[in-house]
Every structure is written in structure tokens, then in C-alpha cells.
Amino acid sequence: MDGQPCYRAGFLAPAEADALFQDLRDGVAWRRERLQLFGRPVTVPRLLGWYGDSGVNYRYAAADHLCEGWLPSLAALRARLRRELGLSSNLVLLNRYRHGRDYMGWHRDDETGLQPAIVSLSLGATRRFLLRPPGADRSWGLDLEHGSALTMDGRWRHSLPRTRRPVGERINLTFRLVDRARP
């Protein structure tokens, strides 16, 4: 991966994407999280889940997310991503956007111990995703469709903004490679 975003519409066949969406919506231990950002408590505006190799810790915003294994559907998807896209990963972060008011603000996935290459899979409702290359002032948008995959360098700034437009539920899976250190 050269760091440039690469969008693959239809990476998952429609029936496969539908089944995975249902499996994850019903089978993930979704969490509502509160974090300390800039010294104040903030409720994360979406639901979260994470799975990965036992003992892997994904730390961001001063919060630890210790993994205890993989759901079978996620383990199979991880193997496919390695086989087809060459991405090694030991963690997947799941974001569940229940409606247009759930969002992710501008950020980079550049925490200490996080490898920059990520694969992001989208399931459910199409949402507008914004990207900004390192050092750039302007962003560009991309509509992430059901079953699509986006490979990118996590050092790019990106966001999934709120929308007033009626929109259905969406689940995003971001596969990453992090250091295996425990807290």
C-alpha cells in the first residue's frame, strides 16, 4: 500500500455484506463510551466494539481497549483481507452509527504503536466520508457504500460528519496492526 486511499466498491457481495451486517449488529458487545478529550469528559457519538488477538491493547484518548479474541465472522474477514489485500492486522475497531446524528470528527489514526496502513469496510447505509492528505488544507469526500472497502494511510485526516438527511444504520470495521503491549 502506497498510502494513497484506494476505494473498492462491492468488495463484499451484497448477500455477504447483508449477512455480516446482521451478524455484527446482533452479535457484537456494543459499548457506549466516555472519554477524556482536552481535559473534559465526552460521550462518544456512536457505539463501539473491538476484537483482536488475545492481549492486544488498542489505546486512544487515554483509554485502553484490551482484546480477548475474534468473532468467527471477523476472523474469516481478517484472513480474506490478508489474502486479497496483503494487510496484516491483529485488531478490528467497530463503529456503529445508528442514524445521521452519530458521527466521527476529524482525526488521524496515528497513535503510538499503531501501524499506518488500515482497511476500512462499510456495511449498511451509505455515508459521506471526508479525507484530507497530510499537510493539505482542503478535503474531499467519498460515499462509502454497503460492502465497500477503503485502504488508506491512517495519517490522513478523516471524518464521518453528522447529517440531517434521513439515513439508516451503518457499521464500519477498521482493521489495524498495533503493538501487542498490555496496559
Side-chain angles (χ1 to χ4, degrees):
M1 190 172 93
D2 66 3
Q4 295 295 316
C6 180
Y7 181 69
R8 293 167 176 85
F11 180 77
L12 300 177
E16 183 182 14
D18 291 346
L20 184 58
F21 179 85
Q22 186 77 31
D23 179 58
L24 297 175
R25 190 185 66 195
D26 299 340
V28 167
W30 296 105
R31 298 172 177 132
R32 184 97 176 150
E33 192 168 66
R34 289 184 58 82
L35 300 172
Q36 287 287 332
L37 294 177
F38 306 108
R40 59 186 186 127
V42 175
T43 300
V44 174
R46 63 194 170 283
L47 300 178
L48 299 169
W50 52 89
Y51 293 88
D53 294 349
S54 184
V56 167
N57 182 38
Y58 178 47
R59 182 173 177 78
Y60 69 92
D64 290 308
H65 302 85
L66 191 61
C67 297
E68 298 177 0
W70 292 86
L71 293 176
S73 59
L74 294 174
L77 188 53
R78 175 176 92 150
R80 179 176 174 186
L81 293 173
R82 183 178 182 101
R83 199 173 49 250
E84 294 183 22
L85 302 180
L87 178 86
S88 294
S89 61
N90 58 5
L91 168 107
V92 61
L93 174 65
L94 295 94
N95 290 291
R96 182 175 172 188
Y97 302 91
R98 298 160 293 176
H99 40 64
R101 293 180 310 277
D102 282 354
Y103 70 97
M104 169 59 99
W106 281 105
H107 70 288
R108 285 188 291 264
D109 295 324
D110 61 353
E111 294 88 357
T112 301
L114 180 63
Q115 297 298 314
I118 60 174
V119 174
S120 175
L121 274 93
S122 295
L123 301 169
T126 298
R127 288 281 297 263
R128 188 75 169 167
F129 184 72
L130 302 177
L131 292 149
R132 185 178 301 149
D137 294 331
R138 303 188 113 195
S139 60
W140 52 276
L142 180 63
D143 291 331
L144 300 178
E145 300 169 335
H146 183 54
S148 66
L150 174 67
T151 55
M152 63 180 280
D153 186 315
R155 293 173 290 205
W156 280 52
R157 291 181 55 77
H158 51 281
S159 74
L160 186 88
R162 289 183 186 116
T163 181
R164 291 183 183 184
R165 180 175 55 85
V167 63
E169 203 166 12
R170 174 181 188 272
I171 296 174
N172 173 260
L173 300 84
T174 306
F175 288 83
R176 305 149 184 259
L177 184 62
V178 298
D179 290 341
R180 297 185 61 84
R182 289 183 179 264

